[in-house]
């Protein structure tokens, strides 16, 4: 995969461009070379974990359907399906998938080499039938099963598994070649240590890691501009913006554990990103137990941070959002219709108001609300916080803001995916506290954006809603938001969702 990496398409002269000031580079922004590299990566990527997970379900369905088809062929479609056959076919299909998983047959390396794993696949499928036969013999049920039927299913089932994996092998190779299925990684820290790490990662056969470049605060004397063919794209501060644009999945810190203060300094800057952060342990003299490491191929890593709500958790949360958003829209549709009529009768202007806010990964999203201010006095940037008896708020606006009815259109935001039902509330881009942006008040504020923002959240049901007129309030809201991110579960979401209507009865801070 690495031969087409955009990060490697730049010469040493091009890499050196970021050392010279450019007219269109803003202070603290990303340099032109890094921006060019970041913009070349695809956004429609697939997680290898998700691909192997879907394959598990497809193979189970394929084995189940093929088993039933063989039974119907021999017995007849309209004949009674004996319960023991249907149960046996389902149990055997499930057991086969479990054994394939246990023997690492769903690892990307195995999926890319089905012929090399032919023997292992056959052994697993034969072992599944052997366990089934042993169970039937133990339970004195073996006489009830047709050997011809099961033998036919054995052959057909194995052909289907092998055929599917041959197709998947070609698809995975194509997706990897096109940059659709990969884990994008950035090396933090340059020099010899980074070179050894890169060489070790690249030695791994059928590796799904795509190294996108190197970031280091040190100058060229201590950290060369090109390491192992990859350019140094900028400083650690520039890395944060690069990681957001390029949709980086993993940051690999290539620094020794002995550089404790520098590692901690880096982590303090980088933990706000929704990525996995790993500390390379391949060259550390200090050794831990094998279970303390995760591995990229055979390269040991210490897990520092994990991306929250990832892979199957994100699928579950998205399904949760869709189901409960539809329910919310149906239940509150009379209230929303009545509110729209009241707003139209009360003052001139549109019924809905949309505002630019920070979403997941600091992306800018449009959030919809019922309009609660006079049109000519509206504040789309939210630079001026709404206060008690604010003259900009209409009569209807005061009521819908106190009762949070103005937030109901955000059910549609959640349904279409820009918001989640539960999460940190999205703040306006220019929201301020005493003329300071929120991220200037709270250290690590942008860590709130490691997950999708929500229609409601843990901070809101604990009383931190409404006007943020003190620095302490925004700090406490951020603290509750980070607690939610670190402790997320579907049950936690359900708890927050059902507590929201009860806690909204307290309108003390809502103006």
């Amino acid at each position: 995969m690495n031969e087409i990496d955009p990060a490697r398409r730049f010469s040493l002269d091009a890499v050196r461009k970021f050392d010279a000031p450019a007219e269109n580079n803003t202070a603290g922004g990303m340099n032109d070379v890094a921006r060019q590299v970041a913009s070349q990566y695809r956004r429609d990527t697939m997680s290898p974990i998700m691909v192997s997970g879907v394959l598990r379900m497809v193979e189970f369905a394929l084995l189940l359907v093929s088993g039933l088809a063989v039974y119907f062929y021999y017995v007849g479609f309209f004949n009674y399906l004996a319960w023991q056959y249907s149960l046996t076919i389902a149990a055997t299909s499930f057991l086969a998938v479990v054994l394939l998983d246990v023997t690492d047959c769903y690892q990307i390396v195995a999926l890319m080499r089905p012929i090399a794993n032919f023997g292992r696949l056959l052994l697993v499928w034969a072992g599944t039938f052997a366990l089934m036969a042993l169970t039937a013999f133990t339970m004195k049920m073996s006489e009830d099963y047709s050997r011809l039927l099961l033998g036919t299913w054995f052959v057909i089932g194995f052909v289907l598994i092998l055929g599917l994996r041959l197709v998947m092998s070609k698809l995975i190779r194509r997706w990897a070649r096109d940059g659709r299925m990969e884990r994008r990684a950035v090396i933090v820290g340059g020099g010899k240590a980074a070179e050894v790490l890169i060489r070790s990662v690249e030695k791994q056969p059928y590796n799904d890691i795509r190294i996108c470049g190197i970031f280091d605060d040190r100058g060229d004397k201590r950290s060369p501009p090109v390491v192992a063919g990859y350019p140094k794209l900028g400083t650690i501060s520039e890395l944060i913006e690069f990681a957001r644009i390029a949709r980086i999945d993993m940051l690999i810190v290539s620094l020794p554990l002995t550089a404790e203060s520098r590692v901690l300094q880096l982590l303090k800057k980088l933990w706000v990103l929704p990525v996995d952060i790993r500390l390379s342990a391949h060259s550390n003299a200090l050794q831990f137990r094998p279970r303390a490491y995760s591995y990229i191929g055979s390269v040991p890593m210490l897990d520092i941070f994990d991306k929250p709500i990832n892979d199957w958790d994100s699928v579950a949360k998205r399904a949760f959002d869709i189901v409960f958003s539809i329910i919310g829209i149906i239940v509150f549709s009379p209230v929303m219709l009545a509110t729209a009529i009241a707003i139209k009768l009360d003052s001139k202007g549109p019924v809905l108001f949309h505002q630019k806010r920070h979403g997941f990964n600091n992306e800018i999203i449009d959030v919809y609300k019922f309009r609660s201010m006079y049109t000519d006095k509206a504040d789309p940037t939210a630079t001026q916080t709404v206060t008690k008896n604010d003259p900009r708020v209409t009569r209807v606006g005061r009521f819908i803001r106190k009762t949070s009815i103005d937030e109901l259109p955000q059910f549609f935001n959640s349904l279409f995916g820009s918001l989640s039902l539960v999460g940190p509330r999205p703040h306006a881009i220019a929201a301020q506290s005493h003329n300071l942006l929120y991220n200037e008040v709270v250290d690590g504020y942008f860590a709130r954006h490691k997950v999708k923002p929500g229609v409601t959240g843990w901070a809101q049901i604990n009383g931190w809603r409404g006007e943020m007129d003190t620095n302490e309030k925004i700090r406490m809201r951020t603290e509750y938001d980070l607690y939610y991110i670190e402790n997320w579960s579907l049950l936690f979401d359900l708890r927050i969702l059902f507590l929201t209507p009860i806690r909204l009865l307290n309108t003390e801070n809502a103006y």
Side-chain angles (χ1 to χ4, degrees), residues 182-253:
E182 59 190 10
R183 286 185 293 168
R184 295 175 187 164
V186 163
I187 306 298
V188 182
K192 188 64 178 178
E195 182 178 359
V196 174
L197 170 63
I198 291 171
R199 300 297 187 202
S200 300
V201 171
E202 288 185 334
K203 283 180 182 177
Q204 309 305 319
Y206 306 102
N207 191 5
D208 66 332
I209 295 292
R210 183 186 292 273
I211 297 173
C212 300
I214 298 168
F215 286 79
D216 199 342
D217 283 335
R218 296 175 295 178
D220 288 354
K221 289 184 179 180
R222 298 185 62 197
S223 178
V226 176
V227 176
Y230 292 92
K232 186 174 70 174
L233 296 176
T235 64
I236 304 304
S237 297
E238 292 173 309
L239 165 59
I240 294 176
E241 186 179 356
F242 179 89
R244 295 191 191 282
I245 295 174
R247 298 293 184 96
I248 296 300
D249 299 298
M250 181 185 300
L251 303 180
I252 303 177
V253 181

Side-chain angles (χ1 to χ4, degrees), residues 103-396:
T103 54
D104 293 331
C105 289
Y106 289 108
Q107 297 293 322
I108 295 298
V109 175
L111 295 178
M112 294 179 76
R113 305 174 64 203
I115 299 301
N117 287 275
F118 179 92
R120 193 194 312 181
L121 292 173
L122 183 59
L123 184 63
V124 168
W125 187 228
T128 303
F129 269 71
L131 287 173
M132 179 189 68
L134 180 62
T135 302
F137 176 78
T138 303
M139 298 179 67
K140 299 182 179 180
M141 297 172 56
S142 55
E143 295 180 357
D144 297 331
Y145 293 98
S146 166
R147 290 168 177 76
L148 178 62
L149 189 156
L150 294 178
T152 304
W153 185 35
F154 178 86
V155 174
I156 291 176
F158 183 74
V159 169
L160 288 173
I161 291 175
L162 185 61
L164 176 61
R165 284 171 177 258
L166 288 170
V167 173
M168 284 301 300
S169 173
K170 291 187 176 182
L171 286 176
I172 289 172
R173 289 172 187 271
R174 182 191 302 170
W175 291 336
R177 189 169 57 249
D178 295 344
R180 290 195 63 194
M181 195 182 80
E182 59 190 10
R183 286 185 293 168
R184 295 175 187 164
V186 163
I187 306 298
V188 182
K192 188 64 178 178
E195 182 178 359
V196 174
L197 170 63
I198 291 171
R199 300 297 187 202
S200 300
V201 171
E202 288 185 334
K203 283 180 182 177
Q204 309 305 319
Y206 306 102
N207 191 5
D208 66 332
I209 295 292
R210 183 186 292 273
I211 297 173
C212 300
I214 298 168
F215 286 79
D216 199 342
D217 283 335
R218 296 175 295 178
D220 288 354
K221 289 184 179 180
R222 298 185 62 197
S223 178
V226 176
V227 176
Y230 292 92
K232 186 174 70 174
L233 296 176
T235 64
I236 304 304
S237 297
E238 292 173 309
L239 165 59
I240 294 176
E241 186 179 356
F242 179 89
R244 295 191 191 282
I245 295 174
R247 298 293 184 96
I248 296 300
D249 299 298
M250 181 185 300
L251 303 180
I252 303 177
V253 181
S254 179
L255 293 173
L257 290 174
T258 51
E260 180 182 351
S261 60
R262 189 157 175 248
V263 170
L264 291 175
Q265 186 180 17
L266 288 175
L267 295 179
K268 187 177 180 181
K269 291 181 179 180
L270 299 176
W271 76 284
V272 300
L273 291 169
V275 298
D276 295 329
I277 299 181
R278 303 288 182 257
L279 181 60
S280 171
H282 75 290
S283 60
N284 283 313
L286 182 61
Q287 297 294 318
F288 297 94
R289 290 184 178 182
R291 291 183 181 180
Y293 300 109
S294 62
Y295 290 86
I296 297 176
S298 61
V299 181
M301 301 281 172
L302 291 173
D303 298 350
I304 307 300
F305 293 112
D306 288 323
K307 182 178 180 180
I309 316 181
N310 197 21
D311 294 322
W312 288 106
D313 285 343
S314 65
V315 173
K317 187 167 176 61
R318 183 73 189 115
F320 179 94
D321 288 341
I322 291 172
V323 170
F324 283 95
S325 293
I326 292 173
I327 293 173
I329 290 168
I330 294 171
V331 170
F332 290 104
S333 56
V335 177
M336 288 192 277
L337 180 61
T339 302
I341 295 171
I343 291 170
K344 208 65 181 172
L345 294 174
D346 184 50
S347 61
K348 295 180 180 180
V351 169
L352 292 178
F353 170 77
H354 70 91
Q355 191 176 61
K356 300 288 184 184
R357 299 194 178 189
H358 281 299
F360 169 71
N361 203 22
N362 265 32
E363 293 178 350
I364 307 303
I365 60 173
D366 279 317
V367 172
Y368 289 91
K369 302 176 69 173
F370 281 122
R371 180 175 59 83
S372 59
M373 292 184 179
Y374 293 102
T375 304
D376 58 340
K377 297 178 180 178
D379 181 16
T381 60
T383 51
Q384 184 181 347
T385 306
V386 177
T387 58
K388 192 172 185 179
N389 299 320
D390 197 312
R392 298 174 297 166
V393 180
T394 65
R395 289 176 299 172
V396 171

